[in-house]
Amino acid sequence: MKLTTKGRYAVMALADIAKFDRNSPISLRDISLRQGISLLYLEQIFSKLRKNEIVKSVRGSSGGYILTKNPEQIKLSNIFSAVDEKVKTVNCKKESKKGCNGKSSKCITHNLWDELELHINDFFNKKNLGDLVKGKNENTI
Amino acid sequence: MKLTTKGRYAVMALADIAKFDRNSPISLRDISLRQGISLLYLEQIFSKLRKNEIVKSVRGSSGGYILTKNPEQIKLSNIFSAVDEKVKTVNCKKESKKGCNGKSSKCITHNLWDELELHINDFFNKKNLGDLVKGKNENTI
DNA sequence: GTTAAACTTGACTATTTTAGTAAGGTATAT
DNA sequence: ATATACCTTACTAAAATAGTCAAGTTTAAC
Ligand code: FES
Ligand code: FES
């Protein structure tokens, strides 16, 4: 059970942007250097973030990306769904009435995994980008 | 972010055992049929469960596996650590003082992932096998 | 004792997912 | 003009997952 780099990098990069002035765009090149993430990979991630209106882009030289909202308004769950980082704990299709083993009813552990999924998503709903950049004076980059 | 089959199957299989009388061993063959899990794969999983003293084996015909404790005493976290299903959200080595990008300090998102890990492990510590088999009258198998 | 059911072990493999790379664009500030 | 920076699609190497295979050993029951 682990987090993939897409979700992790998306949050890292957005937190990086959030630390700076909201009005001047931040280039992916800078983020790449500061956070140690491949530029090409970042482009892939930001394409999704832009389509989901988490950021908007400014083209041309000295362009880059700007958050569309205040950091406090951007929840982790928004970011994760934008980059397709989903939490999947059940083995079956949720909508279906069938269980994961093909049986006609849900398996004995189904409710447990479902609870776990809620538990995790709860965390992502509570946390926002603002929470990450509050302590600007910390020794983190 | 998803659960692997090892953790899921381990819990399913143990819940299956927990539903029956504690004193007569349950064979993997039966579990395999009821839960729709490959017998050979179950053997692999139960080897680990036995080594970690979650179950004990009874050999010979009409043998099988028995829980070593009451279902209420077997926490999900015990099961998961036995089958090496671990929660990994941070990208760095926790013990190290270095960050995930090789920088000298922890990255801006480190604390967030660490909190997430705690949040998830909390769930696994709170839930036990007993919780799963309480409603024996449900229409689950 | 024989047998068969059941556990035990270690190695091996196909599939899927992840984590990127590569290449070739297009838009625009200066 | 042109350099900077975004945009898009396609491809791929590496890792993890989800098993399978083969060849045992143990022991209850007949
Ligand atoms: S996880 Fe949904 S039926 Fe098993
Ligand atoms: S996750 Fe620990 S330093 Fe980035």
Side-chain angles (χ1 to χ4, degrees), chain A residues 44-116:
Chain A
Q44 223 179 95
I45 292 168
F46 271 76
S47 165
K48 295 186 179 195
L49 292 176
R50 193 183 57 83
K51 279 174 192 153
N52 285 274
E53 298 179 0
I54 308 283
V55 294
K56 61 186 170 194
S57 66
V58 176
R59 310 186 82 151
S61 59
S62 78
Y65 288 94
I66 304 179
L67 300 182
T68 55
K69 302 176 215 160
N70 289 324
E72 289 74 23
Q73 295 174 287
I74 303 176
K75 292 190 290 189
L76 245 64
S77 49
N78 301 141
I79 301 173
F80 275 31
S81 76
V83 297
D84 302 316
E85 171 88 50
K86 22 183 169 295
V87 177
K88 180 162 165 51
T89 53
V90 298
N91 197 21
C92 59
K93 282 183 190 159
K94 274 195 165 183
E95 314 77 37
S96 162
K97 281 198 173 169
K98 286 192 177 174
C100 54
N101 42 21
K103 301 248 171 71
S104 57
S105 57
K106 293 296 180 186
C107 79
I108 193 173
T109 52
H110 178 88
N111 290 344
L112 176 75
W113 307 133
D114 211 24
E115 268 187 73
L116 172 59

Side-chain angles (χ1 to χ4, degrees), chain A residues 8 12, chain B residues 90-92 98-101 105-107 109-110 113:
Chain A
R8 175 181 294 115
M12 280 176 83
Chain B
V90 298
N91 196 20
C92 60
K98 284 191 179 176
C100 53
N101 42 20
S105 56
K106 292 296 180 186
C107 79
T109 53
H110 179 88
W113 308 133

Side-chain angles (χ1 to χ4, degrees), chain B:
Chain B
M1 179 145 227
K2 67 183 182 191
L3 200 62
T4 67
T5 53
K6 240 167 202 160
R8 176 182 293 115
Y9 288 172
V11 176
M12 280 176 82
L14 290 173
D16 185 293
I17 294 179
K19 284 191 101 169
F20 292 88
D21 183 20
R22 240 197 102 193
N23 297 315
S24 61
I26 309 289
S27 77
L28 291 189
R29 180 177 166 70
D30 287 352
I31 298 177
S32 166
L33 290 172
R34 276 194 294 264
Q35 305 298 334
I37 304 170
S38 147
L39 176 60
L40 289 156
Y41 200 24
L42 272 178
E43 288 179 351
Q44 221 179 95
I45 292 168
F46 271 75
S47 166
K48 293 187 180 196
L49 291 175
R50 193 184 56 81
K51 278 175 193 152
N52 285 274
E53 296 177 1
I54 309 283
V55 294
K56 62 186 170 194
S57 66
V58 178
R59 311 187 81 152
S61 58
S62 77
Y65 287 94
I66 304 178
L67 299 182
T68 54
K69 302 175 213 162
N70 290 323
E72 289 75 23
Q73 295 173 288
I74 303 177
K75 293 190 289 186
L76 247 62
S77 50
N78 300 142
I79 301 174
F80 275 30
S81 77
V83 297
D84 302 316
E85 170 89 50
K86 22 183 168 296
V87 177
K88 180 162 166 49
T89 54
V90 298
N91 196 20
C92 60
K93 282 184 188 158
K94 275 195 166 184
E95 313 77 38
S96 162
K97 283 199 174 171
K98 284 191 179 176
C100 53
N101 42 20
K103 302 251 169 71
S104 58
S105 56
K106 292 296 180 186
C107 79
I108 192 172
T109 53
H110 179 88
N111 290 343
L112 176 74
W113 308 133
D114 211 25
E115 268 186 72
L116 172 59
E117 204 164 305
L118 284 173
H119 187 71
I120 296 175
N121 282 325
D122 197 44
F123 183 88
F124 294 145
N125 274 319
K126 273 183 188 149
K127 293 279 175 185
N128 62 59
L129 266 192
D131 298 329
L132 276 172
V133 292
K134 266 174 195 157
K136 284 202 187 186
N137 50 341
E138 282 175 40
N139 67 337
T140 48
I141 299 169

